[in-house]
Amino acid sequence: MITVTEEAVKSWMHNVIKREQYEKFMEGGKDFINDEEIWEKLKENSKPEPSKVRDIIAKALSLERLEPDETATLLNVEDKELWQEIFEAAGKIKEKVYGKRIVTFAPLYVSNYCVNDCEYCGYRISNKHIKRKQLTEEELKAEVEALVKQGHKRLIMVYGEHPSSDARFIAKTLEITYGIKIEGGEIRRVNVNAAPMSIEDLELLRDIGIGTYQVFQETYHHETYKRLHKGIKADYHWRLYSLHRAMEAGVDDVAIGALFGLYDWRFEVMGLLYHAIDLEKRFGGVGPHTISFPRLEPAVGTPFYEKNKKYIVSDEDFMKLVAVIRLSVPYTGMILTAREPKEVREKVLPLGVTQLDFGTNIGVGAYSKGAYSPEKQQFLINDERSLDEGIRWLAEKGLITSFCTAGYRCGRTGNYFMDIAKKGKVHKLCMPNAILTFKEYLLDYASEETRKVGEKLIEKELESLDPKIKGIIQDYLKRIEKGERDLYV
Ligand code: SF4
């Protein structure tokens, strides 16, 4: 139990926001989301001609990022056949940029204390049905060890906004996590989902080796945002420009997202696009490393979901929005989480997804105890497959699970990563390393059944490599079989 006096919380909250760190990005006091303009674009581009839609699909297939009018046009498509063409293009773009690789990760919730009162969230301060918990050092180690033993190499660590989980606390938890090694297993990349921070705090996390820094705007619609958020989070701009500050602080990879179900899904897709464009404009063409598109889920003690069905996104519309994001920002990674049930992940995976979580358990402290604890969760999850089951499922589809983090350690982040992603070269550089890390997983953690499917897939993928690289990889695979680990090219 964390004990921070009400006075201390208030005084901390008072000092978090530094207006001068976002006002400088605003033009004439305005941010880059113009609600009226978005609605106008959606209206102006309604009932598009098929030829216009096909021209836009062709542009996206050439890996060019779309302009707002073009995305608005796609969002207005009604014809089923044209949607089918958009879906197919989404899959092709993903394969062109990222190849037959899928990155997997696990979310690790570190603390569910939060000073904010977001109406839809199980962690909101007014929710008396949630059990508050922040991991101690020992508990964090136990969680990380449990994840490493499953075979995970990448985490996204999640923290509520609270003085007890400030930047120094987050830095400490990253340090502890990176320091854990068990029988050759370790976490090699820690991404962070945490509240917006100041440039100084972000510099601290940069120095400790933060992976991608993820802040979702939740909704880009100003009025809806204002209505749903209380506490520090009520400041729309502090949040909207959080990733601008991160880039300024030298955090190379930043991730955007919207919580679909709070407002009109077409509007939110436009908001994500404008966000990507503004980041590109200000930071030498570097846009979001990933985009997330979670759908609103029920949470313990949180009636919001039941009472607000107006903007709930159907499965059909969900497929559309994922595909349009894929076409709009071809270079970005796209994350589809275990919030979605297996059947939905099955349908949405071919629409451009690059990252999935498996073996997910989001109650704070739940991995080490193997416990399901909805009263410690921010929301409920719907795909409870283990990492092994997930990897087998992907392998049966011909997809290699990549645990590779070599790219980051070789400096393939920020500008450099963006450049190779925009030229569609990620898969060329990353597939050999994906095969190597996949092999490690198969040897160290996989079930017999998964190993069989995986080994077959490796054989097949080796054939598609350049002959020179193929020789090197075959040699490395032998070394891995003999016990070497963490080999990369
Ligand atoms: S959405 Fe985030 S900021 Fe809002 S109450 Fe939940 S944990 Fe706190």
Side-chain angles (χ1 to χ4, degrees):
M1 182 80 179
I2 299 294
T3 45
V4 184
T5 65
E6 221 169 285
E7 275 315 296
V9 171
K10 268 191 197 154
S11 128
W12 178 82
M13 284 173 73
H14 188 71
N15 290 311
V16 170
I17 295 176
K18 297 181 168 50
R19 292 176 69 96
E20 68 285 2
Q21 291 192 4
Y22 66 71
E23 280 171 347
K24 64 181 178 184
F25 289 114
M26 296 172 72
E27 286 163 19
K30 293 208 161 95
D31 63 63
F32 56 83
I33 300 290
N34 181 332
D35 296 26
E36 288 76 36
E37 186 181 299
I38 289 179
W39 278 120
E40 265 164 37
K41 292 211 179 291
L42 285 167
K43 214 167 140 195
E44 280 165 10
N45 292 290
S46 63
K47 304 206 182 310
E49 285 296 321
S51 60
K52 189 179 170 193
V53 174
R54 291 196 175 105
D55 285 348
I56 295 168
I57 294 175
K59 180 179 175 184
L61 280 165
S62 73
L63 307 186
E64 241 189 281
R65 199 251 304 127
L66 300 184
E67 294 301 327
D69 278 308
E70 294 165 331
T71 294
T73 302
L74 296 182
L75 290 168
N76 273 303
V77 167
E78 284 172 14
D79 182 272
K80 277 200 169 153
E81 277 173 31
L82 275 178
W83 271 115
Q84 206 46 48
E85 288 177 40
I86 293 171
F87 292 159
E88 278 163 27
K92 281 185 191 156
I93 290 167
K94 185 264 169 182
E95 199 158 329
K96 244 180 167 175
V97 180
Y98 290 91
K100 289 180 188 293
R101 293 160 54 249
I102 293 286
V103 163
T104 52
F105 66 96
L108 172 54
Y109 280 68
V110 183
S111 175
N112 64 15
Y113 284 86
C114 191
V115 297
N116 294 313
D117 208 24
C118 310
E119 282 198 35
Y120 47 84
C121 177
Y123 288 174
R124 71 194 189 287
I125 194 167
S126 61
N127 188 3
K128 302 297 173 220
H129 301 275
I130 206 89
K131 271 197 188 156
R132 300 289 164 183
K133 175 79 192 147
Q134 178 175 99
L135 297 177
T136 63
E137 200 170 318
E138 286 316 306
E139 287 166 336
L140 173 63
K141 283 182 185 162
E143 289 295 284
V144 176
E145 281 173 14
L147 287 160
V148 170
K149 282 179 188 161
Q150 279 188 39
H152 281 291
K153 299 274 186 280
R154 279 172 197 251
L155 300 181
I156 172 107
M157 292 183 38
V158 187
Y159 313 75
E161 184 162 26
H162 194 268
S164 65
S165 46
D166 62 4
R168 272 172 305 158
F169 173 81
I170 294 173
K172 181 84 194 140
T173 57
L174 295 192
E175 222 170 16
I176 293 168
T177 303
Y178 280 130
I180 294 172
K181 321 255 175 232
I182 326 166
E183 295 157 13
E186 64 192 336
I187 298 300
R188 296 179 187 156
R189 175 154 170 115
V190 183
N191 300 329
V192 168
N193 179 311
M197 287 175 231
S198 67
I199 292 176
E200 297 73 22
D201 284 348
L202 288 158
E203 283 169 347
L204 178 68
L205 297 186
R206 175 205 62 199
D207 290 345
I208 225 82
I210 183 177
T212 306
Y213 174 51
Q214 193 181 66
V215 180
F216 301 161
Q217 188 62 22
E218 321 291 15
T219 173
Y220 285 94
H221 187 246
H222 288 82
E223 205 188 301
T224 305
Y225 187 96
K226 198 171 165 197
R227 185 165 48 80
L228 298 180
H229 299 101
K230 292 185 199 81
I232 304 174
K233 197 161 161 178
D235 191 322
Y236 180 99
H237 295 123
W238 180 242
R239 195 165 190 87
L240 190 67
Y241 290 101
S242 55
L243 301 174
H244 290 60
R245 295 194 295 282
M247 298 284 262
E248 263 205 349
V251 175
D252 278 352
D253 295 331
V254 298
I256 62 175
L259 180 55
F260 283 88
L262 299 180
Y263 189 58
D264 183 275
W265 65 269
R266 291 180 176 86
F267 184 98
E268 304 295 13
V269 172
M270 294 294 286
L272 288 166
L273 177 68
Y274 276 101
H275 202 160
I277 291 173
D278 205 69
L279 287 168
E280 284 181 24
K281 184 173 113 187
R282 311 234 185 213
F283 299 100
V286 180
H289 190 69
T290 56
I291 296 182
S292 292
F293 32 84
R295 280 194 289 185
L296 189 66
E297 281 295 325
V300 167
T302 309
F304 182 87
Y305 181 87
E306 288 309 319
K307 291 185 178 166
N308 292 273
K309 298 280 189 192
K310 185 173 174 193
Y311 296 116
I312 293 296
V313 178
S314 68
D315 289 354
E316 197 186 330
D317 289 342
F318 189 53
M319 289 174 70
K320 291 177 180 172
L321 76 86
V322 173
V324 174
I325 294 171
R326 177 73 291 159
L327 266 66
S328 301
V329 193
Y331 59 77
T332 199
M334 290 179 62
I335 303 178
L336 176 66
T337 69
R339 279 177 187 250
E340 298 297 339
K342 184 187 169 193
E343 306 71 56
V344 172
R345 297 230 274 187
E346 181 89 45
K347 283 194 220 158
V348 174
L349 178 67
L351 303 179
V353 170
T354 63
Q355 296 197 25
L356 297 164
D357 56 328
F358 286 112
T360 300
N361 201 343
I362 58 172
V364 183
Y367 287 112
S368 53
K369 296 191 177 67
Y372 172 61
S373 43
E375 73 290 352
K376 289 185 197 149
Q377 293 184 189
Q378 190 180 25
F379 53 87
L380 304 182
I381 59 162
N382 291 299
D383 187 352
E384 291 171 7
R385 280 176 293 172
S386 68
L387 182 59
D388 187 72
E389 287 170 310
I391 287 176
R392 188 163 64 246
W393 174 66
L394 292 171
E396 281 163 352
K397 294 178 184 304
L399 294 164
I400 290 239
T401 300
S402 172
F403 291 94
C404 180
T405 53
Y408 305 115
R409 288 178 288 160
C410 303
R412 276 179 219 155
T413 58
N415 217 340
Y416 183 77
F417 177 83
M418 242 349 91
D419 193 44
I420 56 174
K422 285 178 181 172
K423 290 178 182 149
K425 288 185 181 163
V426 176
H427 69 286
K428 282 209 177 91
L429 287 164
C430 297
M431 188 47 118
N433 289 331
I435 293 175
L436 297 176
T437 56
F438 188 51
K439 177 78 176 180
E440 280 188 23
Y441 175 83
L442 294 178
L443 290 174
D444 296 343
Y445 306 99
S447 64
E448 199 45 48
E449 215 182 333
T450 303
R451 195 172 303 142
K452 266 190 209 154
V453 185
E455 292 289 0
K456 247 195 197 164
L457 183 58
I458 289 181
E459 285 307 315
K460 190 171 161 229
E461 279 311 310
L462 281 173
E463 295 313 312
S464 62
L465 294 180
D466 177 272
K468 248 199 213 152
I469 295 282
K470 186 180 158 188
I472 298 170
I473 298 303
Q474 280 174 321
D475 176 48
Y476 278 20
L477 287 171
K478 279 187 197 136
R479 286 168 59 187
I480 291 172
E481 275 171 9
K482 284 184 186 150
E484 279 190 70
R485 292 291 176 268
D486 206 11
L487 299 176
Y488 56 88
V489 288

